[in-house]
Amino acid sequence: MSLLSISGLVASYGKSQALFGVDLTIEAGQVVALMGRNGVGKTTTVRAICRMIGSKGSMVFAGTDIRKLSSHQVARLGIGLVPEGRRAFRDLTVRENLVAVSRPGHWDIDKVVALFPRLSERADQLAGSLSGGEQQMLVIGRALVTNPRLLILDEATEGLAPNIRREIWATVEQLKRESGLSILVIDKSLSELRAVCDRATILERGRSVWSGAMDDLDREISQRHLGV
């Protein structure tokens, strides 16, 4: 059984329909890329998975139909989100950000600061005073201490300096290699996605138009659906 199985996902913002039929499957331990040009429905798909927006269609996580669950119920079921735009709890310290959401399991604060040593140096600093890269490390760590079965990274390297982007990608590689986590990655950098992802699903105008092994994503498919 797949860890996450989505079929025929449809979602709207009021009267404006954003998704017209998204199909997405993630197996346990897989790293999957959700790709597509800007505005095709990638973040809307993430919001639907995390129950931040209503949707129709089939959506099963770890054997549970999650369509009627609330956001906090989905989080408790084992979905950890690193949202677009970071969104750390700015008025809490680094340590407080981690303590606030921590749940029992493999990932605790000590393991997170071992993954991101800079967070140890900033433990008593307000999150709002951190650099963009440090905030991103914190938000990834915050998702990890919920001990998810599926980690969702929505544009986790967007707007960061090149050296910080490299550090984030190295962390994703390390998580894949050492943790056994399933990871859904939304990003624009095809070369980095190729290095860490097992499979990819491409969206176009709110629909899934291609899905397959990352090795099968050739130049023709990339140019047709991604413009690269």
Side-chain angles (χ1 to χ4, degrees):
M1 179 186 296
S2 301
L3 180 63
L4 177 67
S5 180
I6 296 173
S7 179
L9 183 65
V10 173
S12 302
Y13 295 99
K15 295 182 179 179
S16 178
Q17 189 168 343
L19 302 181
F20 296 83
V22 172
D23 302 320
L24 175 66
T25 300
I26 302 175
E27 304 293 339
Q30 270 191 339
V31 180
V32 176
L34 184 62
M35 305 173 71
R37 296 180 175 93
N38 290 338
V40 299
K42 302 184 297 294
T43 292
T44 301
T45 300
V46 169
R47 289 174 179 166
I49 294 170
C50 295
R51 308 317 297 141
M52 298 174 181
I53 184 174
S55 61
K56 298 178 181 178
S58 173
M59 191 153 46
V60 177
F61 177 76
T64 299
D65 183 348
I66 63 175
R67 290 173 303 165
K68 295 183 180 180
L69 299 184
S70 62
S71 294
H72 74 274
Q73 289 172 322
V74 167
R76 287 176 181 169
L77 201 59
I79 296 178
L81 173 63
V82 177
E84 185 179 22
R86 294 183 275 279
R87 302 183 193 176
F89 303 137
R90 297 180 60 83
D91 295 329
L92 298 182
T93 66
V94 167
R95 186 179 302 280
E96 288 168 342
N97 264 268
L98 299 174
V99 169
V101 301
S102 180
R103 298 179 65 205
H106 172 79
W107 286 99
D108 57 20
I109 294 174
D110 288 342
K111 286 188 173 64
V112 165
V113 298
L115 189 67
F116 296 117
R118 213 171 309 183
L119 296 182
S120 179
E121 302 167 10
R122 306 285 193 269
D124 297 318
Q125 192 170 324
L126 292 179
S129 67
L130 302 178
S131 70
E134 290 166 344
Q135 287 188 35
Q136 192 63 283
M137 294 172 193
L138 175 58
V139 176
I140 293 173
R142 187 180 65 185
L144 287 172
V145 295
T146 68
N147 278 287
R149 298 178 67 180
L150 172 64
L151 180 66
I152 301 177
L153 302 170
D154 190 358
E155 301 283 6
T157 66
E158 182 74 18
L160 300 178
N163 62 316
I164 301 297
R165 289 203 299 270
R166 286 192 294 270
E167 192 168 344
I168 297 298
W169 283 116
T171 299
V172 176
E173 286 190 79
Q174 183 177 348
L175 289 173
K176 177 182 180 178
R177 186 173 63 249
E178 299 177 1
S179 73
L181 262 176
S182 297
I183 306 175
L184 178 64
V185 186
I186 295 92
D187 204 277
K188 298 181 180 68
S189 179
L190 183 55
S191 59
E192 277 82 4
L193 290 171
R194 284 192 186 280
V196 300
C197 293
D198 302 298
R199 296 182 59 82
T201 292
I202 299 176
L203 304 186
E204 197 169 279
R205 298 182 181 179
R207 293 181 173 86
S208 299
V209 293
W210 186 89
S211 183
M214 206 67 187
D215 290 342
D216 294 332
L217 181 54
D218 59 24
R219 178 175 295 182
E220 181 183 349
I221 295 168
S222 299
Q223 288 178 340
R224 185 190 314 150
H225 299 301
L226 303 173
V228 295

